[in-house]
Coordinates of all heavy atoms in Angstrom, one line a residue:
M92 N 36.0 24.8 -36.0 CA 35.0 25.6 -35.3 C 34.8 25.0 -33.9 O 34.4 23.9 -33.8 CB 33.7 25.6 -36.1 CG 32.8 26.6 -35.7 SD 31.3 26.6 -36.7 CE 31.6 27.9 -37.8
S93 N 35.0 25.8 -32.9 CA 34.9 25.3 -31.6 C 33.4 25.4 -31.1 O 32.6 26.1 -31.7 CB 35.7 26.0 -30.6 OG 35.3 27.4 -30.5
S94 N 33.1 24.7 -30.1 CA 31.7 24.6 -29.6 C 31.3 26.0 -29.0 O 30.2 26.3 -28.9 CB 31.5 23.5 -28.6 OG 32.3 23.7 -27.5
R95 N 32.3 26.7 -28.6 CA 32.0 28.0 -28.0 C 31.6 29.1 -29.0 O 30.8 30.0 -28.7 CB 33.2 28.6 -27.2 CG 33.4 27.8 -25.9 CD 34.6 28.4 -25.2 NE 34.8 27.7 -23.9 CZ 35.6 28.1 -23.0 NH1 36.3 29.2 -23.2 NH2 35.8 27.4 -21.9
S96 N 32.2 29.0 -30.2 CA 31.9 30.0 -31.2 C 30.5 29.8 -31.8 O 29.9 30.7 -32.4 CB 32.9 30.0 -32.3 OG 32.9 28.7 -33.0
R97 N 30.0 28.6 -31.8 CA 28.6 28.3 -32.3 C 27.6 28.9 -31.4 O 27.7 28.9 -30.2 CB 28.4 26.8 -32.5 CG 28.9 26.3 -33.8 CD 28.4 24.9 -34.0 NE 29.6 24.1 -34.0 CZ 29.6 22.8 -33.6 NH1 28.6 22.2 -33.2 NH2 30.7 22.1 -33.6
A98 N 26.5 29.4 -32.0 CA 25.4 30.0 -31.2 C 24.7 28.8 -30.6 O 24.3 27.8 -31.3 CB 24.5 30.8 -32.0
R99 N 24.4 28.9 -29.3 CA 23.6 27.9 -28.7 C 22.1 28.1 -28.8 O 21.7 29.2 -28.8 CB 23.9 27.8 -27.2 CG 25.2 27.2 -26.9 CD 25.3 26.9 -25.4 NE 26.5 26.1 -25.1 CZ 26.9 25.9 -23.9 NH1 26.3 26.3 -22.9 NH2 28.0 25.2 -23.7
K100 N 21.5 27.0 -29.0 CA 20.0 27.1 -29.1 C 19.4 27.0 -27.7 O 19.8 26.1 -27.0 CB 19.6 25.9 -30.0 CG 18.3 26.1 -30.8 CD 18.0 24.9 -31.6 CE 17.2 25.3 -32.8 NZ 16.8 24.1 -33.5
R101 N 18.6 27.9 -27.5 CA 17.9 27.9 -26.1 C 16.7 26.9 -26.2 O 15.9 26.9 -27.1 CB 17.4 29.3 -25.8 CG 18.5 30.2 -25.4 CD 17.9 31.4 -24.7 NE 18.9 32.3 -24.3 CZ 18.7 33.4 -23.6 NH1 17.5 33.8 -23.4 NH2 19.7 34.1 -23.2
T102 N 16.7 26.1 -25.1 CA 15.6 25.2 -25.0 C 14.6 25.8 -24.0 O 15.0 26.2 -22.9 CB 16.0 23.8 -24.6 OG1 16.7 23.9 -23.3 CG2 16.8 23.2 -25.6
R103 N 13.4 25.9 -24.3 CA 12.4 26.5 -23.5 C 11.3 25.5 -23.2 O 10.9 24.8 -24.1 CB 11.8 27.7 -24.3 CG 11.0 28.6 -23.4 CD 10.5 29.8 -24.1 NE 11.0 30.0 -25.5 CZ 10.4 30.7 -26.4 NH1 9.3 31.4 -26.1 NH2 10.9 30.9 -27.6
A104 N 10.9 25.4 -22.0 CA 9.9 24.5 -21.6 C 8.5 25.1 -22.1 O 8.2 26.2 -21.7 CB 9.8 24.3 -20.1
R105 N 7.9 24.3 -22.9 CA 6.6 24.8 -23.4 C 5.4 24.1 -22.7 O 5.4 22.9 -22.6 CB 6.5 24.5 -24.9 CG 7.4 25.2 -25.8 CD 7.2 24.9 -27.2 NE 8.2 25.6 -28.0 CZ 8.3 25.3 -29.3 NH1 7.6 24.5 -29.9 NH2 9.2 26.0 -30.0
S106 N 4.5 24.8 -22.3 CA 3.3 24.2 -21.7 C 2.2 24.4 -22.8 O 1.6 25.4 -23.0 CB 2.9 24.9 -20.4 OG 2.6 26.3 -20.7
R107 N 2.0 23.3 -23.4 CA 1.0 23.3 -24.5 C -0.3 22.6 -24.0 O -0.3 21.5 -23.5 CB 1.6 22.5 -25.7 CG 0.6 22.4 -26.8 CD 1.2 21.6 -28.0 NE 2.0 22.5 -28.8 CZ 2.6 22.2 -29.9 NH1 2.6 20.9 -30.3 NH2 3.2 23.0 -30.6
T108 N -1.4 23.3 -24.2 CA -2.7 22.8 -23.8 C -3.2 22.0 -25.0 O -3.0 22.4 -26.2 CB -3.7 23.9 -23.5 OG1 -3.8 24.8 -24.6 CG2 -3.2 24.6 -22.3
R109 N -3.9 20.9 -24.8 CA -4.4 20.1 -25.9 C -5.6 20.8 -26.5 O -6.4 21.4 -25.8 CB -4.9 18.7 -25.3 CG -3.8 17.8 -25.0 CD -4.3 16.5 -24.7 NE -4.9 15.8 -25.9 CZ -5.6 14.7 -25.9 NH1 -5.8 14.1 -24.7 NH2 -6.0 14.2 -27.0
K110 N -5.6 20.8 -27.8 CA -6.7 21.4 -28.6 C -7.9 20.5 -28.4 O -7.8 19.3 -28.3 CB -6.4 21.5 -30.0 CG -5.4 22.5 -30.4 CD -5.3 22.6 -31.9 CE -4.3 23.7 -32.3 NZ -4.1 23.7 -33.8
K111 N -9.0 21.2 -28.3 CA -10.3 20.5 -28.1 C -10.7 20.0 -29.5 O -10.7 20.8 -30.5 CB -11.3 21.4 -27.5 CG -12.7 20.7 -27.2 CD -12.5 19.8 -26.0 CE -13.9 19.3 -25.7 NZ -13.9 18.2 -24.8
D112 N -11.1 18.8 -29.6 CA -11.6 18.3 -30.9 C -12.9 19.0 -31.3 O -13.9 18.9 -30.5 CB -11.8 16.7 -30.9 CG -11.9 16.1 -32.2 OD1 -12.2 16.8 -33.2 OD2 -11.7 14.9 -32.3
P113 N -12.9 19.6 -32.4 CA -14.1 20.4 -32.8 C -15.3 19.5 -33.1 O -16.5 20.0 -33.2 CB -13.7 21.2 -34.0 CG -12.5 20.5 -34.5 CD -11.9 19.8 -33.4
I114 N -15.1 18.2 -33.3 CA -16.2 17.3 -33.7 C -17.0 16.8 -32.5 O -18.1 16.4 -32.5 CB -15.7 16.1 -34.5 CG1 -14.8 16.6 -35.6 CG2 -16.8 15.3 -35.0 CD1 -15.5 17.6 -36.6
F115 N -16.4 16.9 -31.3 CA -17.0 16.4 -30.1 C -18.3 17.2 -29.8 O -18.4 18.4 -30.0 CB -16.1 16.6 -28.9 CG -15.0 15.6 -28.8 CD1 -14.7 14.7 -29.8 CD2 -14.3 15.5 -27.6 CE1 -13.7 13.8 -29.7 CE2 -13.3 14.5 -27.5 CZ -13.0 13.7 -28.5
V116 N -19.3 16.4 -29.4 CA -20.6 17.0 -29.1 C -20.9 16.9 -27.6 O -20.9 15.9 -27.1 CB -21.7 16.3 -29.9 CG1 -23.1 16.9 -29.6 CG2 -21.5 16.3 -31.4
D117 N -21.0 18.1 -27.0 CA -21.2 18.1 -25.5 C -20.2 17.4 -24.7 O -20.5 16.8 -23.7 CB -22.6 17.6 -25.2 CG -23.8 18.4 -25.8 OD1 -23.6 19.6 -26.0 OD2 -24.8 17.8 -26.1
G118 N -18.9 17.5 -25.2 CA -17.8 16.9 -24.5 C -17.6 15.4 -24.7 O -16.7 14.8 -24.1
H119 N -18.4 14.7 -25.4 CA -18.2 13.3 -25.7 C -18.2 13.0 -27.2 O -18.8 13.7 -28.0 CB -19.2 12.4 -25.0 CG -20.6 12.5 -25.5 ND1 -21.5 13.5 -25.2 CD2 -21.3 11.7 -26.4 CE1 -22.6 13.4 -25.8 NE2 -22.5 12.3 -26.6
R120 N -17.5 12.0 -27.6 CA -17.3 11.6 -29.0 C -18.5 10.8 -29.5 O -18.9 9.8 -28.8 CB -16.1 10.8 -29.1 CG -15.7 10.4 -30.5 CD -14.5 9.5 -30.5 NE -13.5 10.0 -29.5 CZ -12.3 9.8 -29.6 NH1 -11.8 9.0 -30.5 NH2 -11.4 10.2 -28.7
P121 N -19.1 11.2 -30.6 CA -20.2 10.5 -31.1 C -19.8 9.1 -31.7 O -18.7 9.0 -32.3 CB -20.8 11.3 -32.2 CG -19.7 12.3 -32.6 CD -18.8 12.4 -31.4
R122 N -20.5 8.1 -31.3 CA -20.2 6.7 -31.9 C -21.3 6.2 -32.6 O -22.4 6.2 -32.1 CB -19.8 5.8 -30.7 CG -18.5 6.1 -30.0 CD -17.4 5.8 -30.9 NE -16.1 6.0 -30.2 CZ -15.0 5.8 -30.7 NH1 -14.9 5.4 -32.0 NH2 -13.9 5.9 -30.0
P123 N -21.2 5.7 -33.8 CA -20.0 5.7 -34.6 C -19.7 7.2 -35.1 O -20.6 8.0 -35.1 CB -20.4 4.9 -35.8 CG -21.9 4.9 -35.9 CD -22.4 5.1 -34.5
M124 N -18.4 7.4 -35.4 CA -18.0 8.7 -35.8 C -18.6 9.1 -37.1 O -18.4 8.4 -38.1 CB -16.5 8.8 -35.9 CG -15.9 10.1 -36.2 SD -16.4 11.5 -35.1 CE -15.4 11.1 -33.7
Y125 N -19.5 10.1 -37.1 CA -20.2 10.6 -38.3 C -20.3 12.1 -38.3 O -20.6 12.7 -37.2 CB -21.6 9.9 -38.4 CG -22.4 10.4 -39.5 CD1 -22.1 10.0 -40.8 CD2 -23.4 11.3 -39.4 CE1 -22.8 10.4 -41.9 CE2 -24.1 11.8 -40.4 CZ -23.8 11.3 -41.7 OH -24.5 11.8 -42.8
V126 N -20.0 12.7 -39.4 CA -20.1 14.1 -39.5 C -21.1 14.3 -40.6 O -21.0 13.8 -41.7 CB -18.8 14.8 -39.9 CG1 -19.0 16.3 -40.1 CG2 -17.8 14.6 -38.8
D127 N -22.2 15.1 -40.4 CA -23.2 15.3 -41.3 C -22.7 16.2 -42.5 O -22.2 17.3 -42.2 CB -24.4 15.9 -40.7 CG -25.7 15.9 -41.5 OD1 -25.7 15.2 -42.6 OD2 -26.6 16.7 -41.2
Y128 N -22.9 15.8 -43.7 CA -22.4 16.6 -44.8 C -23.3 17.8 -45.0 O -22.9 18.7 -45.8 CB -22.4 15.7 -46.1 CG -23.7 15.3 -46.7 CD1 -24.4 16.1 -47.6 CD2 -24.4 14.2 -46.2 CE1 -25.6 15.7 -48.1 CE2 -25.6 13.8 -46.7 CZ -26.2 14.6 -47.7 OH -27.4 14.2 -48.2
K129 N -24.4 17.9 -44.4 CA -25.3 19.1 -44.6 C -25.0 20.1 -43.5 O -25.5 21.2 -43.6 CB -26.8 18.6 -44.5 CG -27.2 17.7 -45.6 CD -28.6 17.3 -45.4 CE -28.8 16.4 -44.2 NZ -29.0 15.0 -44.4
D130 N -24.1 19.8 -42.6 CA -23.7 20.8 -41.5 C -22.6 21.7 -42.1 O -21.4 21.5 -41.8 CB -23.2 20.0 -40.3 CG -23.0 20.9 -39.1 OD1 -23.3 22.1 -39.2 OD2 -22.5 20.4 -38.1
L131 N -23.0 22.7 -42.9 CA -22.1 23.5 -43.6 C -21.3 24.4 -42.7 O -20.1 24.8 -43.0 CB -22.8 24.3 -44.7 CG -23.4 23.5 -45.8 CD1 -24.1 24.4 -46.8 CD2 -22.4 22.5 -46.4
D132 N -21.8 24.8 -41.5 CA -21.1 25.7 -40.6 C -19.9 25.0 -40.1 O -18.8 25.6 -40.0 CB -22.0 26.1 -39.4 CG -23.2 27.0 -39.9 OD1 -23.0 27.7 -40.9 OD2 -24.2 27.0 -39.2
L133 N -20.0 23.7 -39.8 CA -18.9 23.0 -39.3 C -17.9 22.7 -40.4 O -16.7 22.8 -40.2 CB -19.3 21.6 -38.7 CG -18.2 20.7 -38.2 CD1 -17.5 21.3 -37.0 CD2 -18.8 19.3 -37.9
L134 N -18.4 22.3 -41.6 CA -17.5 22.0 -42.7 C -16.7 23.2 -43.2 O -15.6 23.0 -43.6 CB -18.3 21.3 -43.8 CG -18.9 20.0 -43.5 CD1 -19.7 19.4 -44.7 CD2 -17.9 19.0 -43.0
K135 N -17.3 24.3 -43.1 CA -16.6 25.5 -43.6 C -15.4 25.9 -42.7 O -14.5 26.5 -43.1 CB -17.6 26.7 -43.7 CG -18.4 26.6 -45.0 CD -19.3 27.8 -45.1 CE -20.2 27.6 -46.3 NZ -21.2 28.7 -46.5
K136 N -15.5 25.5 -41.4 CA -14.4 25.7 -40.5 C -13.3 24.7 -40.8 O -12.1 25.0 -40.4 CB -14.9 25.4 -39.0 CG -15.8 26.5 -38.5 CD -16.2 26.1 -37.1 CE -17.4 27.0 -36.7 NZ -17.9 26.6 -35.3
M137 N -13.6 23.6 -41.5 CA -12.6 22.6 -41.7 C -11.9 22.7 -43.1 O -11.1 21.9 -43.5 CB -13.2 21.2 -41.6 CG -13.8 20.9 -40.3 SD -12.4 20.8 -39.1 CE -13.3 20.7 -37.6
I138 N -12.3 23.8 -43.9 CA -11.6 24.0 -45.1 C -11.1 25.4 -45.1 O -11.6 26.3 -44.4 CB -12.6 23.8 -46.4 CG1 -13.8 24.7 -46.3 CG2 -13.0 22.4 -46.5 CD1 -14.6 24.7 -47.6
N139 N -10.0 25.7 -45.9 CA -9.4 27.0 -45.9 C -10.0 27.8 -47.0 O -10.9 27.4 -47.7 CB -7.9 26.9 -45.9 CG -7.3 26.2 -47.1 OD1 -8.1 26.0 -48.1 ND2 -6.1 25.9 -47.1
R140 N -9.4 29.0 -47.2 CA -9.9 29.9 -48.3 C -9.8 29.3 -49.7 O -10.6 29.6 -50.5 CB -9.2 31.2 -48.2 CG -9.6 32.0 -47.0 CD -8.9 33.3 -46.9 NE -9.1 34.1 -48.2 CZ -8.3 35.0 -48.6 NH1 -7.2 35.4 -47.9 NH2 -8.5 35.6 -49.8
Q141 N -8.8 28.5 -49.9 CA -8.6 27.9 -51.2 C -9.5 26.7 -51.4 O -9.6 26.1 -52.5 CB -7.2 27.4 -51.4 CG -6.2 28.6 -51.6 CD -5.8 29.1 -50.2 OE1 -5.8 28.5 -49.2 NE2 -5.4 30.4 -50.2
G142 N -10.2 26.3 -50.4 CA -11.1 25.1 -50.5 C -10.5 23.8 -50.2 O -11.1 22.8 -50.3
R143 N -9.3 23.8 -49.6 CA -8.6 22.6 -49.2 C -9.0 22.2 -47.8 O -9.3 23.0 -47.0 CB -7.1 22.8 -49.3 CG -6.6 23.1 -50.6 CD -5.1 23.2 -50.6 NE -4.6 23.6 -51.9 CZ -3.4 24.1 -52.1 NH1 -2.7 24.5 -51.1 NH2 -3.0 24.4 -53.3
I144 N -9.0 20.9 -47.6 CA -9.3 20.4 -46.3 C -8.1 20.7 -45.3 O -7.0 20.4 -45.7 CB -9.6 18.9 -46.3 CG1 -10.8 18.7 -47.2 CG2 -9.9 18.4 -44.9 CD1 -11.1 17.2 -47.5
V145 N -8.4 21.3 -44.2 CA -7.4 21.6 -43.2 C -6.9 20.3 -42.5 O -7.7 19.4 -42.2 CB -7.9 22.6 -42.2 CG1 -6.9 22.9 -41.1 CG2 -8.4 23.9 -42.8
G146 N -5.6 20.2 -42.4 CA -5.0 19.0 -41.8 C -5.3 18.9 -40.3 O -5.7 19.8 -39.6
R147 N -4.9 17.7 -39.8 CA -5.2 17.4 -38.4 C -4.4 18.3 -37.4 O -5.0 18.6 -36.4 CB -4.8 15.9 -38.1 CG -5.8 14.9 -38.5 CD -5.4 13.6 -38.1 NE -5.1 13.5 -36.6 CZ -4.3 12.7 -36.0 NH1 -3.6 11.8 -36.7 NH2 -4.2 12.7 -34.7
R148 N -3.2 18.6 -37.7 CA -2.4 19.4 -36.8 C -3.0 20.8 -36.6 O -3.0 21.3 -35.5 CB -1.0 19.5 -37.3 CG -0.2 18.3 -37.2 CD 1.2 18.5 -37.6 NE 2.0 17.3 -37.5 CZ 3.3 17.3 -37.5 NH1 4.0 18.4 -37.7 NH2 3.9 16.2 -37.3
K149 N -3.6 21.3 -37.7 CA -4.1 22.7 -37.6 C -5.5 22.7 -37.0 O -5.9 23.5 -36.2 CB -4.1 23.3 -38.9 CG -4.4 24.8 -38.9 CD -3.9 25.5 -40.1 CE -3.9 27.0 -40.0 NZ -3.4 27.6 -41.1
S150 N -6.3 21.7 -37.4 CA -7.7 21.6 -36.9 C -7.9 21.1 -35.5 O -8.9 21.4 -34.8 CB -8.6 20.8 -37.9 OG -8.2 19.5 -37.8
G151 N -7.0 20.3 -35.1 CA -7.0 19.7 -33.7 C -7.9 18.5 -33.7 O -8.3 18.0 -32.6
C152 N -8.3 17.9 -34.8 CA -9.1 16.7 -34.8 C -8.3 15.4 -34.5 O -7.1 15.4 -34.7 CB -9.7 16.5 -36.2 SG -11.0 17.7 -36.6
T153 N -9.0 14.4 -34.0 CA -8.4 13.1 -33.9 C -8.4 12.5 -35.2 O -9.0 13.0 -36.2 CB -9.1 12.2 -32.9 OG1 -10.5 12.1 -33.3 CG2 -9.1 12.9 -31.5
A154 N -7.7 11.3 -35.4 CA -7.7 10.7 -36.7 C -9.0 10.2 -37.1 O -9.4 10.4 -38.3 CB -6.7 9.5 -36.6
A155 N -9.8 9.7 -36.2 CA -11.2 9.2 -36.6 C -12.1 10.3 -37.0 O -12.8 10.2 -38.0 CB -11.8 8.4 -35.4
S156 N -12.0 11.4 -36.3 CA -12.9 12.6 -36.6 C -12.4 13.2 -37.9 O -13.2 13.8 -38.7 CB -13.0 13.6 -35.5 OG -11.8 14.1 -35.1
Q157 N -11.1 13.2 -38.2 CA -10.6 13.8 -39.4 C -11.0 13.0 -40.6 O -11.3 13.6 -41.6 CB -9.0 13.9 -39.3 CG -8.4 14.6 -40.6 CD -8.7 16.1 -40.6 OE1 -9.0 16.7 -39.6 NE2 -8.6 16.6 -41.8
H158 N -11.0 11.7 -40.5 CA -11.5 10.8 -41.6 C -13.0 11.1 -41.8 O -13.4 11.2 -43.0 CB -11.4 9.3 -41.2 CG -9.9 8.9 -41.3 ND1 -9.2 8.9 -42.5 CD2 -9.1 8.4 -40.4 CE1 -8.0 8.4 -42.2 NE2 -7.9 8.1 -41.0
A159 N -13.8 11.3 -40.8 CA -15.2 11.6 -40.9 C -15.4 13.0 -41.6 O -16.3 13.1 -42.4 CB -15.9 11.5 -39.6
V160 N -14.6 13.9 -41.2 CA -14.7 15.3 -41.8 C -14.3 15.2 -43.3 O -15.0 15.8 -44.1 CB -13.7 16.3 -41.1 CG1 -13.5 17.5 -41.9 CG2 -14.3 16.6 -39.7
T161 N -13.3 14.5 -43.6 CA -12.9 14.4 -45.0 C -14.0 13.8 -45.9 O -14.3 14.2 -47.0 CB -11.6 13.5 -45.1 OG1 -10.6 14.2 -44.3 CG2 -11.1 13.4 -46.5
A162 N -14.6 12.7 -45.4 CA -15.7 12.1 -46.1 C -16.8 13.0 -46.3 O -17.5 13.1 -47.3 CB -16.1 10.8 -45.4
A163 N -17.2 13.8 -45.2 CA -18.3 14.7 -45.3 C -18.0 15.8 -46.2 O -18.9 16.3 -47.0 CB -18.6 15.2 -43.9
V164 N -16.8 16.4 -46.2 CA -16.5 17.4 -47.1 C -16.5 17.0 -48.6 O -17.1 17.6 -49.5 CB -15.1 18.0 -46.8 CG1 -14.6 18.9 -47.9 CG2 -15.1 18.8 -45.5
K165 N -16.0 15.8 -48.9 CA -16.1 15.2 -50.2 C -17.5 15.0 -50.7 O -17.9 15.2 -51.8 CB -15.2 14.0 -50.3 CG -13.8 14.2 -50.2 CD -13.0 13.0 -50.2 CE -11.5 13.3 -50.1 NZ -10.7 12.0 -50.1
R166 N -18.3 14.5 -49.8 CA -19.7 14.3 -50.1 C -20.5 15.6 -50.3 O -21.3 15.7 -51.3 CB -20.4 13.5 -48.9 CG -21.8 13.0 -49.3 CD -22.3 12.1 -48.2 NE -21.6 10.8 -48.3 CZ -21.4 10.0 -47.3 NH1 -21.8 10.3 -46.1 NH2 -20.8 8.9 -47.5
A167 N -20.2 16.6 -49.5 CA -20.8 17.9 -49.7 C -20.4 18.6 -51.0 O -21.2 19.2 -51.6 CB -20.5 18.8 -48.5
R168 N -19.1 18.3 -51.4 CA -18.7 18.9 -52.7 C -19.4 18.2 -53.8 O -19.8 18.9 -54.8 CB -17.2 18.6 -52.8 CG -16.3 19.5 -52.0 CD -14.9 19.1 -52.2 NE -13.9 20.0 -51.5 CZ -12.7 19.7 -51.2 NH1 -12.2 18.5 -51.6 NH2 -11.9 20.5 -50.6
F169 N -19.6 16.9 -53.7 CA -20.2 16.1 -54.8 C -21.7 16.6 -54.9 O -22.3 16.6 -56.0 CB -20.2 14.6 -54.5 CG -20.8 13.8 -55.5 CD1 -20.2 13.6 -56.7 CD2 -22.0 13.2 -55.3 CE1 -20.8 12.8 -57.7 CE2 -22.6 12.4 -56.3 CZ -22.0 12.2 -57.5
M170 N -22.3 16.9 -53.8 CA -23.7 17.3 -53.7 C -23.8 18.8 -54.0 O -24.9 19.4 -54.0 CB -24.4 17.0 -52.4 CG -24.4 15.6 -52.0 SD -25.4 14.6 -53.0 CE -27.0 15.0 -52.5
A171 N -22.7 19.5 -54.4 CA -22.7 20.9 -54.7 C -23.1 21.8 -53.6 O -23.6 22.9 -53.8 CB -23.5 21.2 -55.9
L172 N -22.8 21.4 -52.3 CA -23.0 22.2 -51.2 C -21.8 23.0 -50.9 O -21.9 24.1 -50.3 CB -23.5 21.4 -50.0 CG -24.7 20.6 -50.1 CD1 -25.0 19.7 -48.9 CD2 -25.9 21.5 -50.3
L173 N -20.6 22.5 -51.2 CA -19.4 23.2 -51.0 C -18.6 23.2 -52.3 O -18.8 22.3 -53.1 CB -18.5 22.4 -50.0 CG -18.8 22.5 -48.5 CD1 -17.9 21.6 -47.7 CD2 -18.7 23.9 -48.0
P174 N -17.8 24.3 -52.6 CA -17.1 24.4 -53.8 C -15.8 23.5 -53.7 O -15.3 23.2 -52.7 CB -16.7 25.8 -53.9 CG -16.6 26.3 -52.5 CD -17.7 25.5 -51.8
Y175 N -15.4 23.0 -54.9 CA -14.2 22.2 -55.0 C -13.0 23.2 -54.8 O -12.0 22.8 -54.3 CB -14.1 21.5 -56.3 CG -14.9 20.2 -56.3 CD1 -16.2 20.2 -56.9 CD2 -14.3 19.0 -55.9 CE1 -16.9 19.0 -56.9 CE2 -15.0 17.8 -55.9 CZ -16.3 17.8 -56.4 OH -17.0 16.7 -56.4
V176 N -13.1 24.3 -55.4 CA -12.0 25.3 -55.3 C -12.6 26.6 -54.6 O -13.7 26.9 -54.7 CB -11.4 25.7 -56.7 CG1 -10.7 24.5 -57.3 CG2 -12.5 26.2 -57.6
G177 N -11.7 27.3 -53.9 CA -12.1 28.5 -53.2 C -12.0 29.7 -54.1 O -12.2 29.7 -55.3
E178 N -11.7 30.8 -53.4 CA -11.6 32.1 -54.1 C -10.4 32.2 -55.0 O -9.3 31.8 -54.8 CB -11.5 33.2 -53.1 CG -12.7 33.2 -52.2 CD -12.5 34.1 -50.9 OE1 -11.5 34.8 -50.9 OE2 -13.3 33.9 -50.0

């Protein structure tokens, strides 16, 4: 098989804008990183329909804020504010 017969893959320059971390408050990161487990509006954005925690790549969180979100979601589940399983 020669190199001409193979289909070439086109490389396209992508201009990707950085996702804004949803945990940032007024443009700055809270220190120490803490997400309130009673903030259900924020936590519902961080779980999908099945009740699973959305990963960092999809949510746009940094590692520190993702750890804080995970701890808050687990705490809210234990306190029966969020379901363990979704629909």
Side-chain angles (χ1 to χ4, degrees):
M92 195 180 259
S93 68
S94 62
R95 289 184 180 188
S96 64
R97 273 190 247 152
R99 282 193 175 172
K100 211 179 204 184
R101 283 193 177 183
T102 56
R103 193 176 353 160
R105 292 182 185 173
S106 61
R107 177 180 275 183
T108 58
R109 283 187 70 188
K110 284 185 181 177
K111 184 72 173 169
D112 194 339
I114 308 302
F115 283 12
V116 180
D117 298 329
H119 68 279
R120 181 182 321 203
R122 291 290 188 180
M124 181 57 73
Y125 176 74
V126 178
D127 191 16
Y128 69 94
K129 296 177 294 253
D130 188 4
L131 297 182
D132 293 331
L133 175 69
L134 294 182
K135 284 182 181 177
K136 292 177 189 173
M137 298 295 170
I138 60 173
N139 62 11
R140 288 182 51 202
Q141 289 82 27
R143 296 180 183 159
I144 300 171
V145 175
R147 279 185 56 205
R148 288 184 176 194
K149 194 160 189 176
S150 67
C152 289
T153 61
S156 59
Q157 183 71 21
H158 287 297
V160 164
T161 302
V164 167
K165 290 178 180 178
R166 187 170 289 152
R168 285 174 177 166
F169 182 76
M170 300 294 286
L172 299 174
L173 284 177
Y175 281 95
V176 293
E178 299 167 14

